[in-house]
Amino acid sequence: MSTENKIDISVVVPLFNEDESLPELHAWIQRVMHENNFTYEVIFVDDGSTDKSWSVIEELQQKDACVHGIKFRRNYGKSPGLYCGFRAAQGEVVITMDADLQDSPDEIPELRRMIVEDGYDLVSGYKQNRKQGDPLSKTIPTKLFNATARAVSGIHNLHDFNCGLKSYRKDVIKSIEVYGEMHRYIPYLAKNAGFDKIGEKPVHHQARKFGKSKFMGWNRFVNGYLDLLTLWFLNNFGLKPMHIFGFIGTLMFMLGFIAVCVVGGMKAYALFTATPARLITDSPYFFIALTMMIIGTQLFVAGFLGDLISRNSAGRNDYHIEKEI
């Protein structure tokens, strides 16, 4: 890309049913970009909205050539939206934010500066001044989730992994794969990809102006932990599942085999010394040992098959895009 066509910032905005907030969000982003003389693009990713969001995006694109849009045929979730937005982004620095006006575009210049001047690979927002009124069903799971994410990922300087307002070096978003519901763990994904200069910036948290939150409740807490467990396992054993399944399987098989030998040895000793002894099949230890050997063999085979598959899933990020502008 030539210098004259260089894009300083790409703003990726995944959204679902946010038609009321989009014009104000676009005007706000546009004002910030013009005030700082940034070249930019705004990529709105419509995640199968059922309101007029796409019509609004089309109207904004007609007025501003810097606006681009991607429309899914149905609702896939935030991670697929970010994945497609990242794939389309051309800016040297990429900013992600939610479309509900709770993330302030005024934070963009400093988020960019921390990438360009301070040398961070990724900077995550930290909403210190969250508005009062969030229910306990949201605040308690969020605190527990973030504490666990810090412990598992080893990224101890982040207070809020799930903050939608983040900035990235372009290389980062082109090197990671965000799928399923892994948007919560983008810093962890970046670290696993070798981008370990990760920073945090306290950001202003706006009150929601339109509609209501679409991500509430304890289901976020449960799903978050399941996704974190998946990511931890894939990071440690995804490329070599035999290392975990094979080890556990071999260990169980050997313990079961030793137990069978002990039971058989006791029976042989009883026969040799003419000591009365019950049948081997009458001993519960024999069946426990046999079960351990069978399960151990199955785990070993599972590890072997997992190594062959090596977690390659064709079409995992095959999303049906209806329109692009």
Side-chain angles (χ1 to χ4, degrees):
M1 183 180 292
S2 63
T3 304
E4 55 207 273
N5 294 326
K6 177 183 175 183
I7 298 176
D8 294 325
I9 298 176
S10 293
V11 182
V12 177
V13 185
L15 62 103
F16 178 70
N17 289 346
E18 298 286 359
D19 58 352
E20 294 178 300
S21 64
L22 291 179
E24 184 174 340
L25 176 62
H26 168 258
W28 196 351
I29 293 174
Q30 188 179 54
R31 174 178 61 78
V32 170
M33 297 300 182
H34 289 169
E35 287 176 353
N36 292 272
N37 296 316
F38 294 141
T39 56
Y40 72 99
E41 63 179 356
V42 184
I43 303 172
F44 292 109
V45 185
D46 183 354
D47 188 22
S49 295
T50 55
D51 63 1
K52 298 179 181 178
S53 292
W54 183 250
S55 298
V56 173
I57 294 170
E58 289 180 319
E59 291 173 6
L60 293 174
Q61 199 276 333
Q62 291 174 2
K63 298 174 184 177
D64 183 1
C66 294
V67 171
H68 304 286
I70 299 172
K71 185 180 189 300
F72 289 162
R73 287 189 177 276
R74 65 173 182 84
N75 180 257
Y76 286 103
K78 189 172 183 178
S79 290
L82 289 173
Y83 172 82
C84 292
F86 287 165
R87 187 174 59 181
Q90 297 299 317
E92 294 304 307
V93 174
V94 178
I95 306 287
T96 59
M97 62 173 50
D98 295 334
D100 54 12
L101 296 175
Q102 291 187 288
D103 295 333
S104 171
D106 289 334
E107 306 284 356
I108 290 176
E110 179 62 14
L111 286 170
R112 176 183 181 273
R113 188 199 66 77
M114 293 178 72
I115 297 292
V116 175
E117 297 182 17
D118 294 346
Y120 285 103
D121 297 315
L122 183 156
V123 179
S124 182
Y126 173 34
K127 298 176 181 178
Q128 289 181 307
N129 65 324
R130 295 190 68 92
K131 302 297 180 182
Q132 298 298 318
D134 280 349
L136 291 177
S137 62
K138 181 176 181 180
T139 56
I140 293 178
T142 296
K143 289 182 181 297
L144 292 173
F145 160 73
N146 283 310
T148 305
R150 283 193 294 271
V152 172
S153 68
I155 307 174
H156 300 292
N157 62 321
L158 294 190
H159 293 83
D160 187 1
F161 277 71
N162 201 28
C163 179
L165 186 57
K166 289 182 173 68
S167 62
Y168 312 80
R169 192 179 305 281
K170 183 180 180 181
D171 291 345
V172 175
I173 60 110
K174 298 300 183 182
S175 302
I176 62 176
E177 182 186 17
V178 187
Y179 63 94
E181 293 186 31
M182 292 297 175
H183 59 274
R184 301 180 180 96
Y185 307 109
I186 289 181
Y188 194 11
L189 291 171
K191 179 185 176 183
N192 291 341
F195 300 97
D196 55 3
K197 193 163 185 185
I198 298 172
E200 183 175 74
K201 180 188 181 302
V203 296
H204 186 64
H205 180 65
Q206 304 281 117
R208 173 175 277 275
K209 193 170 183 180
F210 303 104
K212 61 181 181 178
S213 175
K214 302 167 182 67
F215 305 100
M216 299 284 283
W218 284 87
N219 61 312
R220 294 174 67 242
F221 175 69
V222 176
N223 292 339
Y225 270 104
L226 293 176
D227 289 338
L228 182 59
L229 181 62
T230 299
L231 186 55
W232 174 83
F233 181 85
L234 291 178
N235 178 54
N236 288 281
F237 305 107
L239 295 178
K240 286 293 180 182
M242 178 61 88
H243 288 183
I244 181 68
F245 287 113
F247 172 75
I248 296 176
T250 301
L251 182 62
M252 289 190 67
F253 181 88
M254 292 306 298
L255 289 176
F257 180 76
I258 292 172
V260 166
C261 289
V262 170
V263 172
M266 292 174 63
K267 179 65 175 180
Y269 176 78
L271 292 175
F272 181 76
T273 59
T275 303
R278 61 181 177 177
L279 295 174
I280 290 179
T281 53
D282 288 339
S283 172
Y285 300 108
F286 170 78
F287 293 101
I288 292 174
L290 193 61
T291 301
M292 290 180 66
M293 292 178 64
I294 294 172
I295 294 177
T297 302
Q298 290 176 331
L299 286 172
F300 186 89
V301 172
F304 177 73
L305 293 177
D307 248 351
L308 293 178
I309 297 171
S310 191
R311 81 180 181 93
N312 290 323
S313 175
R316 179 167 61 191
N317 280 315
D318 184 15
Y319 306 114
H320 298 285
I321 297 174
E322 182 178 352
K323 297 178 182 177
E324 289 188 68
I325 56 175

